[in-house]
Amino acid sequence: MDYKDKTNEELIFELNKLQFEHNTLKEDYNKCIAKHKSQEVIRPNEKEQIKVILDLIEFPIFIKDNDHKITLANSAFFDIFCMEEECVIGKTLVETVPQKESEHFLKVDRGVLETGISDQQEEELTVKGFSHTILTRKSRFLDNSGNRFLVGYIQDITNRKKAEKILQESFKEIADYKFALDESAIITITDENGIIKTVNDNFCKISQYTREELVGNTHRLINSKFHSKAFFKEMWDTIISGKVWRGLIKNVKKNGEYYWLDSTIVPFVGVNKSPYQYLAIRFDSTDYKNVIDNIARAKNLHSSLFDNSAIGLYQTTPKGEILSANNAIIKMLKFDSLEDLLQRDLKTGSYVNENKRIEFETIIQERGKITDFESEWYTKNGDIITILEEATATKNTKGEIVRYDGSVQDITFKKKIQNELIEAIKKVEESKKLLNETGKIGKVGGWEFNIDTLKQIWTEETYLIHEVDFDFDPNVENGINFYTSASKPIIDKAIKRAIEFGESFDLYLEIITAKNNLRNVHAIGKADIENRRIYGFFQDITLQEQVKKELIKAKEMAQENDKLKSAFLANMSHEIRTPMNGILGFSELLKNPKLSGEQHQNYIQIIEKSGKRMLNIINDIVDISKIEAGLMKMDIKESNINEQIEYIYTFFKPEVKAKGMQLFIKNTLPKKEASIKTDREKLFAILTNLVKNAIKYSNKGSIEFGYVKKGDCLEFFVKDTGIGISRDRQEAIFERFIQAEIEDEMARQGAGLGLSITKAYVEMLGGNIWVKSEEGIGSIFYFTLPYNVESSKRNNLKKIEEKGNTENQVKNLKILIAEDDEISEMLLSVNVSEFSNEIINVRTGTEAIEACNNNPDLDLILMDIQMPSLDGYEATRQIRKFNKDVIIIAQTAFGLTGDREKSLDVGCNDYITKPIKKDELDSLIKKYFNK
Ligand code: ADP
């Protein structure tokens, strides 16, 4: 029999049966033994009988003598050892079993034989490799002769032992399960009426009732009244029918709190097929239940949100076919219902710009989702709305997109507002910029400060006016510190009154900037007490103030000039009238035929002197007017200063000599280094003026003029031993119109313009002029000019030969005089007669050209500039086209500087100022022809 296939119940049943059989046998045996004992000795015929009886017994029975030899045994004994009777009787069987076992058997046998005490024990017996568990009982009996015998029986309990082992293991397993279940679950057992019979600790713990309170009660004690009657009826119907019920039950604790149990109720069905008890195994599911509830709630919320959301929600196939859409999207796209919308294909029917849909698909396919996607959609009625879309792609296990879940928001209005906002911000920025720009142009800054914190805010221009960096942190205190000591108390008081009484202020003050510049400012402040602030404007008016000051100065100067000019005009009038009087008066006297020759000469000299004086005045007026009007031009050319000085020396030498004085010159540079770039005419005028004055204001001694080189400059000087100039007049003499105010007989001989013209010229040429003088001793006038050397170009002007003898060597020139005024022509003719052998006279420019054409051998032309029909400039220009050799000397009126330059430009070799003085003309002719 294989016990492994048996159920526990069957094994127990088998075991009990064996036990019963064993007991019966034991009884029979004992009876037998008792019978034998009474007879004391077994008789031989009795032995046969016994054998027959023994054979009837299923258990192996044996009798051993004192030497452990088997004397009697039944067939069951032979069977267990698998041996024939003949091989057993009279043997010890020691060889049959393993040594260890046989030693044990012998030891037990010996003990029983010796002591007579019966022995019963479980032993191991191995026969032919098969092991058995046997229960052996051994007793001793003595025969009549006192021989000791051992009677024993064997019970093979191998199967029983195996069954017991399995049973034990099963019990252990069940106990483990029970323990585990008890530990983890909440267990109750109720009888068929629902009365609680057993509860475990867990149930007591969760219900908060003691075991005593629970046992004998029904589950009503813990009923939360949450479930319906139908719920419990269904449960009872299930378990009564013998089926297991499972479900969530909400119970109430002793303290009134609720808890959920995931319960499994197992009915135990008895022989009458109806349950006699119920085992409930439960687990605390309060958390689980909560989760379930939350999920359910979330599901509800989700569907409610889906339907009621203000955001449009949709699900579409990747092709754009709508799977679901909420009310918001239907409304947004102006459809009547979901069915209406379902006609629409979101892929092709919505996007205004098809490329947008392509872009949408590309992104979602690449990234699996798309956010903040802005596009324009058509509504049902064709309106265009701006949509902000978000969507996620759902993929199947193969990774293919099966669905898009998306949300859309109509941001048309938002977008419009946003655009308007951007526009508004742009405008604000522009106005801010404009304000800043305007601030910059007008140098107007803004400021504001909080009355409580005294922290200031400045606009950009305010920082610039204060000349501080933009990281400067202004407050009222450091703001006030910029003001000058005179302005500080004023602004301080104004701000205090603004804070205290809300008074505005409008002040003109001064600040010292961070870079230590003094600035005039216009500070305007307004109080806004309600908002706890003072604010205002701040304007840099330094320039305006300066202009204002300069204007006042200019006005004063203009007034002063006006005064001077009036005085000057009065003087001019006097200056012009005086020589005029002389000329007209003495001309009148000349008419008298009774005049002596000496008187005659005398009057003519006075007329000549007066004429010269008047001409000087007129020349000066013309020059100063040009300087004043800014019309005086410069003509910078190579000029040899040694030559000029020598020329002036030659020119003035006779006049100085006539006064009984001496004239010296000092040229410190060798002639080839004495070429500078300057305006030759102006330098000539400067030197002439100064030398003229030296002669004019000296009556004795000597006059010396020249120059020395000092660094980059040439320092010129004109020194005399004349009347000198008092210290207080040394500056005034260079000022225009000053002369008129000087009360000095001798000084009043001039118009007082010579030195101011001279000074203007010196400055135009880049130099300075000053005087050192002592009254009664003499004066030295100094002026400087920059030493502008150009070594490559050398002056190739023809030299003025300084020759001791003034004898004329120039003769036989063929001279053309172009002059429209008859008297002037006569004067010229007389003056040049000594140099010429032929003089041709013409009246116009055209005639001059013609004459020149007809006389290619002409040596000299004296060309008047102002002539009718064609003037001297044009005539010269044309003559130069065919005759480059003839020397042309222009006669210019009134010494106008412009005329001189122009005449040289058109091709004249030189010029002479009208009225023509004989010695001047002689020098010029000699300059060109005295070779
Ligand atoms: P004026 O035509 O009066 O000479 P200037 O401007 O040339 O005008 O000179 C101004 C004044 O300066 C003269 O009137 C004279 O008083 C004084 N002055 C000029 N040069 C000399 C000089 N070399 N010696 C003394 N006084 C002079």
Side-chain angles (χ1 to χ4, degrees):
M1 189 185 287
D2 193 350
Y3 289 95
K4 273 184 190 161
D5 300 335
K6 297 277 171 188
T7 65
N8 287 344
E9 284 82 7
E10 283 170 335
L11 284 169
I12 293 167
F13 182 77
E14 287 285 327
L15 209 65
N16 287 338
K17 208 172 102 195
L18 285 172
Q19 192 77 43
F20 176 76
E21 283 169 1
H22 165 74
N23 288 341
T24 321
L25 279 176
K26 201 171 154 190
E27 240 168 68
D28 290 349
Y29 170 75
N30 285 342
K31 274 181 202 159
C32 236
I33 295 298
K35 199 176 160 193
H36 278 286
K37 267 188 180 169
S38 63
Q39 290 171 354
E40 281 292 313
V41 179
I42 304 166
R43 285 175 294 272
N45 57 334
E46 282 177 340
K47 199 176 175 180
E48 279 309 308
Q49 282 174 7
I50 288 167
K51 178 105 176 45
V52 171
I53 294 163
L54 284 182
D55 282 343
L56 289 173
I57 297 169
E58 271 180 69
F59 294 105
I61 295 175
F62 62 89
I63 299 173
K64 285 182 182 175
D65 61 15
N66 205 30
D67 300 325
H68 305 288
K69 286 177 186 151
I70 310 285
T71 55
L72 188 72
N74 65 354
S75 37
F77 185 84
F78 305 131
D79 288 346
I80 198 168
F81 282 96
C82 306
M83 292 170 84
E84 296 298 318
E85 189 180 352
E86 305 76 50
C87 306
V88 174
I89 300 299
K91 303 274 169 51
T92 59
L93 292 180
V94 168
E95 299 82 24
T96 318
V97 294
Q99 189 188 350
K100 203 174 161 198
E101 287 176 18
S102 65
E103 277 172 9
H104 169 73
F105 293 145
L106 291 178
K107 191 179 157 202
V108 175
D109 289 359
R110 258 197 305 277
V112 174
L113 286 169
E114 276 163 24
T115 60
I117 299 166
S118 299
D119 178 83
Q120 181 175 318
Q121 54 182 287
E122 250 179 52
E123 292 166 325
E124 289 302 312
L125 170 70
T126 310
V127 181
K128 297 193 174 163
F130 287 98
S131 49
H132 301 260
T133 308
I134 52 171
L135 184 74
T136 324
R137 186 172 170 92
K138 295 173 180 172
S139 302
R140 187 186 75 172
F141 80 94
L142 302 169
D143 65 4
N144 293 340
S145 339
N147 296 319
R148 287 185 274 189
F149 290 91
L150 188 124
V151 180
Y153 87 86
I154 295 169
Q155 193 183 350
D156 187 345
I157 58 165
T158 309
N159 289 339
R160 194 181 104 196
K161 272 281 160 196
K162 271 183 192 163
E164 264 175 20
K165 200 177 165 209
I166 289 167
L167 203 63
Q168 263 170 15
E169 278 170 5
S170 294
F171 280 145
K172 171 90 177 38
E173 218 170 298
I174 288 165
D176 286 349
Y177 280 138
K178 188 176 177 291
F179 177 76
L181 207 60
D182 254 357
E183 281 300 302
S184 60
I186 296 154
I187 309 280
T188 57
I189 299 174
T190 55
D191 66 13
E192 69 264 43
N193 299 317
I195 308 279
I196 299 166
K197 291 202 295 185
T198 314
V199 291
N200 72 347
D201 290 347
N202 282 344
F203 189 69
C204 297
K205 210 162 130 195
I206 195 161
S207 67
Q208 297 180 338
Y209 288 104
T210 62
R211 187 168 270 105
E212 289 71 34
E213 284 171 317
L214 288 165
V215 172
N217 238 313
T218 66
H219 277 88
R220 274 185 210 105
L221 190 65
I222 54 164
N223 190 341
S224 65
K225 311 246 167 44
F226 173 80
H227 303 283
S228 63
K229 276 190 176 151
F231 175 84
F232 287 116
K233 186 176 179 293
E234 187 267 336
M235 182 191 94
W236 276 110
D237 286 352
T238 310
I239 55 176
I240 285 171
S241 70
K243 289 186 203 127
V244 172
W245 183 89
R246 192 163 173 199
L248 279 172
I249 304 177
K250 185 180 182 179
N251 293 325
V252 66
K253 292 184 186 177
K254 197 175 179 182
N255 70 357
E257 266 177 44
Y258 294 106
Y259 58 101
W260 284 84
L261 293 179
D262 176 6
S263 313
T264 305
I265 305 174
V266 185
F268 281 73
V269 182
V271 275
N272 57 358
K273 299 270 168 80
S274 67
Y276 58 92
Q277 67 173 20
Y278 301 100
L279 170 70
I281 305 162
R282 309 165 219 235
F283 295 94
D284 184 0
S285 307
T286 311
D287 290 345
Y288 169 69
K289 177 64 185 160
N290 284 342
V291 170
I292 300 234
D293 284 353
N294 285 342
I295 291 171
R297 263 199 296 277
K299 261 188 179 166
N300 276 339
L301 191 71
H302 177 259
S303 68
S304 145
L305 276 178
F306 186 80
D307 289 337
N308 303 318
S309 166
I311 296 172
L313 302 169
Y314 67 77
Q315 287 186 320
T316 67
T317 64
K319 287 181 184 161
E321 295 144 356
I322 298 164
L323 297 171
S324 67
N326 71 346
N327 292 333
I329 199 166
I330 296 167
K331 244 167 86 185
M332 199 181 289
L333 298 175
K334 305 210 170 87
F335 282 86
D336 303 329
S337 61
L338 180 64
E339 291 66 43
D340 192 13
L341 178 69
L342 286 176
Q343 313 296 320
R344 164 96 69 117
D345 168 353
L346 282 188
K347 186 170 172 179
T348 52
S350 298
Y351 289 85
V352 172
N353 181 351
E354 218 174 278
N355 290 335
K356 273 286 176 185
R357 175 71 199 185
I358 297 167
E359 191 188 332
F360 173 88
E361 295 216 324
T362 318
I363 295 174
I364 202 165
Q365 274 163 19
E366 268 176 18
R367 303 179 198 162
K369 66 173 185 180
I370 191 163
T371 49
D372 293 334
F373 187 74
E374 214 177 287
S375 57
E376 285 180 326
W377 285 24
Y378 285 118
T379 64
K380 188 186 177 184
N381 60 17
D383 289 346
I384 292 175
I385 56 172
T386 311
I387 289 289
L388 188 71
E389 195 172 1
E390 271 186 30
T392 330
T394 305
K395 290 179 179 173
N396 63 14
T397 46
K398 287 184 212 156
E400 298 158 344
I401 295 174
V402 289
R403 205 182 70 218
Y404 293 149
D405 295 328
S407 69
V408 288
Q409 279 183 74
D410 180 357
I411 55 160
T412 316
F413 184 65
K414 194 171 139 192
K415 197 83 195 161
K416 199 177 141 222
I417 297 283
Q418 211 174 41
N419 285 340
E420 279 171 6
L421 208 70
I422 289 168
E423 279 305 306
I425 289 171
K426 247 193 224 161
K427 271 186 194 150
V428 169
E429 284 297 316
E430 267 163 24
S431 333
K432 222 168 111 186
K433 222 168 112 190
L434 195 70
L435 207 69
N436 260 339
E437 291 296 315
T438 338
K440 245 177 224 162
I441 295 164
K443 296 203 170 176
V444 182
W447 56 267
E448 179 185 321
F449 74 82
N450 183 297
I451 294 175
D452 303 319
T453 62
L454 297 183
K455 276 251 163 209
Q456 277 206 343
I457 302 168
W458 285 3
T459 66
E460 212 171 276
E461 192 54 32
T462 308
Y463 282 90
L464 295 175
I465 296 173
H466 284 85
E467 294 192 305
V468 287
D469 291 337
F470 289 118
D471 56 11
F472 178 75
D473 186 17
N475 56 43
V476 172
E477 200 182 287
N478 62 21
I480 286 179
N481 278 340
F482 281 100
Y483 287 89
T484 58
S485 52
S487 296
K488 208 183 274 179
I490 302 171
I491 187 76
D492 201 40
K493 193 173 154 201
I495 285 178
K496 277 185 184 140
R497 291 192 69 84
I499 296 173
E500 217 171 310
F501 309 112
E503 266 178 28
S504 300
F505 57 85
D506 186 342
L507 300 166
Y508 289 87
L509 302 167
E510 283 181 340
I511 60 161
I512 291 168
T513 69
K515 291 188 179 160
N516 222 16
N517 292 316
L518 181 70
R519 284 195 172 165
N520 300 83
V521 292
H522 183 189
I524 299 173
K526 294 229 179 302
D528 177 8
I529 302 296
E530 207 176 294
N531 291 311
R532 310 294 298 154
R533 65 178 195 136
I534 312 281
Y535 67 98
F537 300 100
F538 193 73
Q539 187 180 16
D540 179 1
I541 52 160
T542 315
L543 203 69
Q544 287 94 313
E545 284 296 304
Q546 241 170 34
V547 169
K548 219 154 98 183
K549 274 183 204 153
E550 271 162 26
L551 270 176
I552 292 168
K553 210 169 132 194
K555 191 181 149 204
E556 281 168 6
M557 257 172 78
Q559 281 169 344
E560 177 73 2
N561 278 351
D562 209 40
K563 222 170 90 193
L564 288 172
K565 260 182 193 156
S566 305
F568 167 73
L569 280 178
N571 193 50
M572 277 307 103
S573 155
H574 164 83
E575 288 299 322
I576 294 169
R577 271 171 214 276
T578 312
M580 213 55 182
N581 266 344
I583 295 165
L584 293 173
F586 283 95
S587 303
E588 195 68 35
L589 289 177
L590 273 181
K591 289 181 192 162
N592 187 352
K594 288 177 196 159
L595 285 179
S596 67
E598 196 185 332
Q599 273 178 321
H600 201 260
Q601 275 303 313
N602 210 2
Y603 291 174
I604 288 175
Q605 261 180 23
I606 293 171
I607 292 170
E608 198 190 351
K609 210 175 153 193
S610 299
K612 273 187 186 166
R613 189 169 161 190
M614 202 156 90
L615 192 73
N616 275 336
I617 291 169
I618 290 166
N619 279 342
D620 280 357
I621 291 172
V622 170
D623 282 348
I624 202 81
S625 307
K626 279 186 135 189
I627 293 168
E628 288 267 287
L631 294 172
M632 191 58 84
K633 296 220 172 75
M634 303 270 282
D635 183 23
I636 306 293
K637 280 192 186 129
E638 193 82 12
S639 172
N640 192 294
I641 45 171
N642 283 9
E643 278 181 8
Q644 285 212 28
I645 285 170
E646 280 156 18
Y647 181 82
I648 293 163
Y649 172 84
T650 317
F651 191 86
F652 285 109
K653 180 99 199 233
E655 199 180 330
V656 176
K657 208 171 164 188
K659 265 194 141 181
M661 290 162 64
Q662 285 177 298
L663 182 65
F664 305 106
I665 51 167
K666 189 178 179 185
N667 288 341
T668 47
L669 288 174
K671 200 165 186 176
K672 54 181 179 180
E673 285 174 33
S675 273
I676 60 166
K677 282 178 90 183
T678 191
D679 186 319
R680 197 152 67 104
E681 294 309 318
K682 294 199 174 62
L683 175 58
F684 183 73
I686 295 163
L687 282 168
T688 313
N689 254 336
L690 294 175
V691 174
K692 243 187 336 192
N693 274 351
I695 300 168
K696 192 160 126 191
Y697 298 106
S698 309
N699 290 319
K700 54 175 188 344
S702 61
I703 292 165
E704 189 186 359
F705 70 104
Y707 66 92
V708 285
K709 191 174 166 289
K710 282 194 172 170
D712 290 343
C713 288
L714 294 177
E715 190 182 276
F716 291 81
F717 67 92
V718 178
K719 183 180 169 190
D720 66 51
T721 49
I723 59 164
I725 307 154
S726 66
R727 196 162 285 271
D728 59 325
R729 278 197 282 148
Q730 284 178 7
E731 260 184 55
I733 52 169
F734 294 104
E735 294 300 321
R736 281 157 214 183
F737 317 125
I738 287 291
Q739 161 63 18
E741 290 206 312
I742 298 167
E743 297 291 330
D744 183 295
E745 239 333 281
M746 208 168 176
R748 286 171 71 88
Q749 283 185 358
L753 287 174
L755 282 182
S756 51
I757 293 167
T758 305
K759 185 176 183 233
Y761 282 177
V762 169
E763 285 168 1
M764 280 168 90
L765 296 178
N768 285 316
I769 185 164
W770 66 98
V771 66
K772 279 183 185 167
S773 180
E774 225 172 292
E775 271 182 294
I777 292 177
S779 313
I780 312 173
F781 280 84
Y782 294 96
F783 69 94
T784 56
L785 286 186
Y787 181 51
N788 295 326
V789 195
E790 205 168 304
S791 53
S792 61
K793 269 196 197 170
R794 280 291 152 216
N795 195 341
N796 45 18
L797 274 179
K798 289 168 190 165
K799 292 183 234 166
I800 299 169
E801 297 291 328
E802 198 194 345
K803 287 188 178 158
N805 90 68
T806 52
E807 204 186 316
N808 184 19
Q809 292 173 339
V810 184
K811 286 203 181 346
N812 303 327
L813 297 178
K814 190 172 181 180
I815 300 173
L816 171 74
I817 298 175
E819 172 63 70
D820 64 329
D821 182 56
E822 200 183 337
I823 295 173
S824 301
E825 184 244 289
M826 270 172 65
L827 196 66
L828 274 175
S829 297
V830 174
N831 280 337
V832 299
S833 59
E834 60 178 297
F835 303 105
S836 63
N837 62 358
E838 192 185 343
I839 296 175
I840 303 165
N841 289 306
V842 292
R843 291 271 183 269
T844 67
T846 325
E847 285 172 17
I849 301 163
E850 201 185 315
C852 193
N853 216 353
N854 296 335
N855 301 279
D857 55 341
L858 270 181
D859 295 302
L860 172 68
I861 303 172
L862 294 168
M863 181 78 80
D864 184 26
I865 292 300
Q866 274 165 336
M867 282 185 293
S869 84
L870 196 74
D871 67 15
Y873 297 131
E874 194 46 42
T876 306
R877 205 173 281 135
Q878 299 215 14
I879 289 165
R880 280 294 179 229
K881 286 182 185 167
F882 58 88
N883 189 336
K884 295 219 167 23
D885 300 325
V886 65
I887 301 293
I888 304 176
I889 294 174
Q891 312 163 50
T892 62
F894 311 123
L896 292 174
T897 325
D899 286 349
R900 296 171 194 168
E901 284 142 16
K902 209 169 166 191
S903 56
L904 294 180
D905 280 350
V906 294
C908 296
N909 300 73
D910 226 315
Y911 55 81
I912 186 156
T913 326
K914 276 182 176 178
I916 291 157
K917 288 170 209 141
K918 182 161 176 18
D919 44 2
E920 240 175 86
L921 185 61
D922 286 1
S923 306
L924 262 181
I925 293 171
K926 281 177 193 157
K927 178 177 164 187
Y928 290 99
F929 297 100
N930 203 359
K931 299 172 191 170

